[in-house]
Amino acid sequence: MTQLTPEESRFLARAVALSRKHMHQGAGGPFGAIIVRDGKVLAEGWNEVTSTNDPTAHAEINAIRKACRQIGDFSLSGATLYTSCEPCPMCLAAAYWARVDRIVYANTRIHAAVIGFDDQHIYDEVAREPGDREIPMLHVPSEEARAVFEEWLGKADRVEY
Ligand SMILES: [Zn+2]
């Protein structure tokens, strides 16, 4: 366990408050998140899976999307993701894609599993070879698909990320 500064503690408490408020308002599961950079809250997010029928509408994903729109950049480099619960594999991956500097969380994936949100299964699946996963994955090589990658490399105005 790590000690947070008083300011950091307030940010984490805000993520937890969001999880409670929007869970009670019927938005979705009990999860909240905020993105902070240079002491400024860029965006807040909460789980909206059941209210929007979007299985990817987790608190962290929503906060990352809002923060990026807010700053007009696909990178959240220098930012901290405060979340009421340890991110699931999807949100953890999104945090990596967004290049956040740090993740601070309150509840753990074990706490989440106890109330019916079992991320461990997905963490286990990620670690397996594609052919060994619960969802069948078929690798079908395509010359055209490879050609598109070559075209990307040759695209003069490509924006790297
Ligand atoms: Zn998630």
Side-chain angles (χ1 to χ4, degrees):
M1 204 177 71
T2 309
Q3 288 295 331
L4 299 178
T5 67
E7 183 183 48
E8 291 168 335
S9 295
R10 283 196 296 277
F11 288 140
L12 184 58
R14 177 61 186 163
V16 173
L18 288 169
S19 75
R20 172 176 282 134
K21 177 183 172 187
H22 293 283
M23 178 258 294
H24 282 300
Q25 288 183 349
F31 304 97
I34 65 172
I35 309 281
V36 177
R37 188 159 70 184
D38 301 327
K40 182 170 175 275
V41 178
L42 298 182
E44 298 181 336
W46 49 89
N47 187 291
E48 296 179 302
V49 169
T50 53
S51 60
T52 64
N53 292 320
D54 180 352
T56 69
H58 288 194
E60 301 95 322
I61 296 277
N62 285 344
I64 287 169
R65 285 182 173 151
K66 281 189 211 168
C68 288
R69 274 200 300 271
Q70 171 73 17
I71 64 171
D73 194 343
F74 49 76
S75 170
L76 293 174
S77 177
T80 296
L81 166 63
Y82 292 88
T83 174
S84 67
C85 184
E86 182 178 355
C88 77
M90 172 179 72
C91 293
L92 181 61
Y96 273 90
W97 281 115
R99 294 184 169 75
V100 302
D101 274 24
R102 199 165 60 126
I103 298 170
V104 179
Y105 62 97
N107 291 325
T108 69
R109 67 173 90 162
I110 296 162
H111 297 135
V114 167
I115 63 160
F117 299 92
D118 188 4
D119 301 337
Q120 189 58 49
H121 175 61
I122 304 175
Y123 275 106
D124 293 344
E125 285 283 289
V126 168
R128 291 196 177 97
E129 290 299 319
D132 296 336
R133 295 195 178 121
E134 184 181 284
I135 296 178
M137 293 183 66
L138 309 178
H139 176 213
V140 184
S142 157
E143 285 188 18
E144 191 165 358
R146 293 299 304 274
V148 175
F149 276 13
E150 291 300 317
E151 289 164 31
W152 166 256
L153 285 180
K155 192 176 189 304
D157 62 345
R158 72 175 187 268
V159 179
E160 308 236 14
Y161 61 92

